[in-house]
Amino acid sequence: MTDLPSTGRFAPGTFTPAPGAGAPLRMLFTHARTEAVLTMRNGEQVLLTLLIPLALLVGLANVTVIDLPEPRVDSLVPRVFALAVMSTAFTGQAIALGFDRRYGVVKRLAATALPRWLLVAGRVLGCLAVVALQLVVLGIAAALLGWSPSAIGLVWTVVLGVLGTLSFGAIGVLLGGALKAEVVLALANVIWLVLLLAGGVVLTADTLPAGMADVVRLLPSAALTEGLTDALVHGTTPALSTVVPLLAWGGVAGLLATKTTRLT
């Protein structure tokens, strides 16, 4: 029988396997990778987050459904990028969280060695990884259609992509963490469709009547689309009016989510 040391602790290596939590960075990477892989394995999620934006990019670049300046692909890319970010970070996250709560996944994860901050950070990083993959695929498709962005435009695209993902992700967590899964599924898809058609994505704010345009510009979808348009089409720094709404929506939604998100 092993005697307990005077310190009250057994020497490292006395027991195998050794109990205890893993290194935080390793847990974070593992959790983020799992979230990203689960998202990509979901056929509905892939359709929503990648195939629909890709189909819109290729289709609208070759068929005149809405009037766009030539080359059409240059005007389409910011809108499709904004749609991809919105689809993954908002709709995908909201639905995934809603059903994870329903099936007890979040409750069980909360009972593991993963701290609460790491549960959130892992989902965020997993979402960022999926968004990055989307934008790369969409960018390659756009390049094949004749798109040739500037270097500074690509830098701002990365910045706005991260900011947009965090903002829409916070809104998605707010929705998916508070309502029943079936309600989240219906409501998230309705909001996605409304923002796509009337939220400054397909029809940009500057094409709308003055009063409506002022309201639409306050939406995160319009702010992200206009910011990406400034960077990729005009080659300029995104206006402050496009960054502030993203920060405001993300901050308010994140604060509310901490108060309303439930484990079940």
Side-chain angles (χ1 to χ4, degrees):
M1 181 177 180
T2 305
D3 293 329
L4 185 66
S6 58
T7 59
R9 295 177 179 273
F10 289 99
T14 301
F15 300 104
T16 302
L25 288 179
R26 183 176 180 182
M27 289 193 294
L28 178 60
F29 172 77
T30 301
H31 184 41
R33 181 183 61 187
T34 301
E35 291 288 345
V37 169
L38 288 176
T39 298
M40 297 307 298
R41 284 180 177 176
N42 188 318
E44 180 184 351
Q45 292 278 54
V46 173
L47 174 65
L48 178 68
T49 62
L50 183 58
L51 296 186
I52 290 178
L54 186 60
L56 286 174
L57 174 64
V58 175
L60 293 178
N62 292 283
V63 179
T64 304
V65 177
I66 57 176
D67 291 331
L68 294 172
E70 296 293 341
R72 294 176 61 85
V73 67
D74 288 354
S75 299
L76 282 172
V77 168
R79 307 181 195 199
V80 171
F81 278 10
L83 174 62
V85 172
M86 183 174 70
S87 300
T88 298
F90 168 62
T91 314
Q93 281 295 302
I95 294 173
L97 179 58
F99 280 93
D100 282 352
R101 287 175 48 237
R102 176 182 177 180
Y103 295 127
V105 175
V106 177
K107 182 179 180 180
R108 286 171 172 79
L109 284 174
T112 67
L114 294 174
R116 295 293 181 91
W117 70 266
L118 198 147
L119 286 173
V120 175
R123 294 187 80 100
V124 169
L125 288 180
C127 183
L128 283 171
V130 175
V131 168
L133 179 60
Q134 283 179 277
L135 297 186
V136 168
V137 172
L138 292 170
I140 292 173
L144 294 175
L145 292 170
W147 179 56
S148 55
S150 64
I152 189 64
L154 292 178
V155 171
W156 278 113
T157 297
V158 173
V159 174
L160 290 170
V162 172
L163 183 57
T165 300
L166 295 178
S167 180
F168 277 109
I171 302 171
V173 171
L174 174 62
L175 184 65
L179 302 176
K180 292 184 178 180
E182 294 81 3
V183 177
V184 173
L185 178 62
L187 191 55
N189 282 304
V190 169
I191 293 174
W192 177 85
L193 185 60
V194 170
L195 291 179
L196 171 63
L197 299 178
V201 179
V202 172
L203 298 176
T204 54
D206 56 6
T207 64
L208 301 174
M212 184 178 179
D214 293 337
V215 174
V216 169
R217 283 193 176 94
L218 298 177
L219 298 175
S221 51
L224 181 58
T225 302
E226 290 194 355
L228 289 170
T229 299
D230 287 342
L232 293 173
V233 177
H234 304 141
T236 60
T237 300
L240 191 61
S241 60
T242 66
V243 176
V244 171
L246 290 174
L247 292 173
W249 278 93
V252 172
L255 181 62
L256 291 176
T258 62
K259 306 293 184 181
T260 60
T261 298
R262 295 176 294 181
L263 297 181
T264 59

